[in-house]
Amino acid sequence: MLVKTKAIVISSVKYQEKALIVKCFTLSDGLKSYFVRDAFSSSKKTPKKSAYFQPLTLLEIEANHKNKNALEYFSSTKPVVYRTITNDIIKSSLVLFLSEVFHFSIKEESKNEDLFLFLETALLWLDENEITTNFHLIVLLELTKFLGFYPNFSEENFFELTEGIFTDFQSKTCLNQQESSLFKLFLNQKIDSLDNPFSTSQRRRLLEIIMDYYAFHIENFRKPKSLEVFKEVFS
């Protein structure tokens, strides 16, 4: 069936010398993987197709979806041209990091319009605004609403990573009281807030907490290879 839809590039892998296998999250069908022939060829009139498939590029596509758990094929692709992301080293590093997290956390293989619109809105906001220091943290936190393990806020003292709740009993999988208080403060932050109550070391610790939280709740989750580099760039 020929489908016209929006898509977000999650990852792309080179296949042999000239091709790419591109994983996208689509508005119409959730996750889909596409085979792109001659992705690295170019001419005076057409740039390399591989430029369209950088991490978290927004696309408008036409594709023949056979829905048989096989690779699909694009009939046409049109990228949404970012204004700032591709030219800003911090933003482009952030996008690379987030794409790795999405690759190991988003497994929705059917239509999820709310999740798609959340991701699209976050990317367009990032492109159109000055970056805030907590943007990546809040995106990762908000994403847990769609993945089914958003933290349950309460007044208890310790955050239990395996259950996503605060409790008065500190188990081996709880944050300590200081970390739990830090996480509580973070839960009240907004994506566009100019207020930044966290130091660099606190932001790094919050990122580590969120990555550990993801690992408890997502089977086979892997921490991004770009995590340490991203910490340095975004410190």
Side-chain angles (χ1 to χ4, degrees):
M1 180 175 65
L2 186 63
V3 175
K4 185 175 182 180
T5 186
K6 293 180 179 180
I8 299 170
V9 176
I10 301 298
S11 63
S12 60
V13 178
K14 190 174 183 180
Y15 179 78
Q16 296 182 345
E17 292 299 316
K18 298 181 179 180
L20 279 175
I21 296 174
V22 181
K23 180 180 175 183
C24 292
F25 188 69
T26 69
L27 177 59
S28 63
D29 295 277
L31 284 177
K32 302 292 284 185
S33 292
Y34 300 88
F35 186 77
V36 183
R37 294 189 180 92
D38 299 321
F40 296 93
S41 62
S42 63
S43 66
K44 291 182 179 180
K45 293 184 178 180
T46 59
K48 291 182 181 179
K49 292 180 183 178
S50 59
Y52 293 175
F53 306 115
Q54 299 304 306
L56 301 192
T57 298
L58 292 169
L59 299 173
E60 294 177 1
I61 68 170
E62 288 187 8
N64 187 20
H65 286 176
K66 297 179 181 179
N67 297 316
K68 293 183 178 179
N69 296 319
L71 291 174
E72 312 284 13
Y73 294 87
F74 295 115
S75 298
S76 68
T77 54
K78 180 183 177 182
V80 174
V81 179
Y82 287 131
R83 186 174 61 86
T84 65
I85 288 176
T86 53
N87 300 316
D88 186 309
I89 187 171
I90 294 179
K91 288 186 178 182
S92 57
S93 297
L94 189 155
V95 160
L96 177 61
F97 166 73
L98 288 177
S99 70
E100 286 192 75
V101 177
F102 296 166
H103 177 73
F104 289 112
S105 59
I106 297 175
K107 302 180 181 181
E108 188 72 62
E109 295 183 348
S110 58
K111 183 176 181 178
N112 188 330
E113 185 173 346
D114 289 341
L115 175 54
F116 184 91
L117 293 177
F118 163 71
L119 297 175
E120 179 187 42
T121 300
L123 290 168
L124 291 175
W125 188 94
L126 175 64
D127 189 49
E128 294 166 1
N129 293 273
E130 291 294 326
I131 194 168
T132 60
T133 52
N134 300 321
F135 175 86
H136 57 298
L137 300 173
I138 297 170
V139 167
L140 293 176
L141 177 67
E142 290 295 308
L143 180 59
T144 65
K145 291 180 179 178
F146 302 93
L147 301 179
F149 54 95
Y150 187 77
N152 185 15
F153 185 89
S154 64
E155 297 301 324
E156 285 76 17
N157 294 321
F158 303 101
F159 184 67
E160 172 58 73
L161 290 165
T162 59
E163 300 295 330
I165 61 174
F166 286 87
T167 177
D168 278 330
F169 175 75
Q170 186 177 15
S171 69
K172 291 181 179 179
T173 52
C174 279
L175 302 179
N176 63 36
Q177 191 164 357
Q178 183 178 6
E179 292 170 334
S180 297
S181 296
L182 176 66
F183 193 61
K184 249 183 209 182
L185 180 61
F186 167 62
L187 290 177
N188 291 319
Q189 297 299 300
K190 302 298 181 183
I191 201 167
D192 57 352
S193 175
L194 298 178
D195 180 37
N196 179 27
F198 308 116
S199 66
T200 297
S201 61
Q202 286 176 323
R203 286 198 306 275
R204 288 186 176 186
R205 182 59 190 135
L206 282 168
L207 182 56
E208 291 169 353
I209 289 169
I210 293 170
M211 290 295 92
D212 288 341
Y213 189 49
Y214 269 63
F216 272 114
H217 291 270
I218 299 174
E219 186 176 1
N220 299 322
F221 179 78
R222 298 181 192 175
K223 293 182 181 180
K225 293 180 180 178
S226 62
L227 180 59
E228 293 305 318
V229 174
F230 177 70
K231 286 180 181 178
E232 293 300 321
V233 171
F234 211 70
S235 62

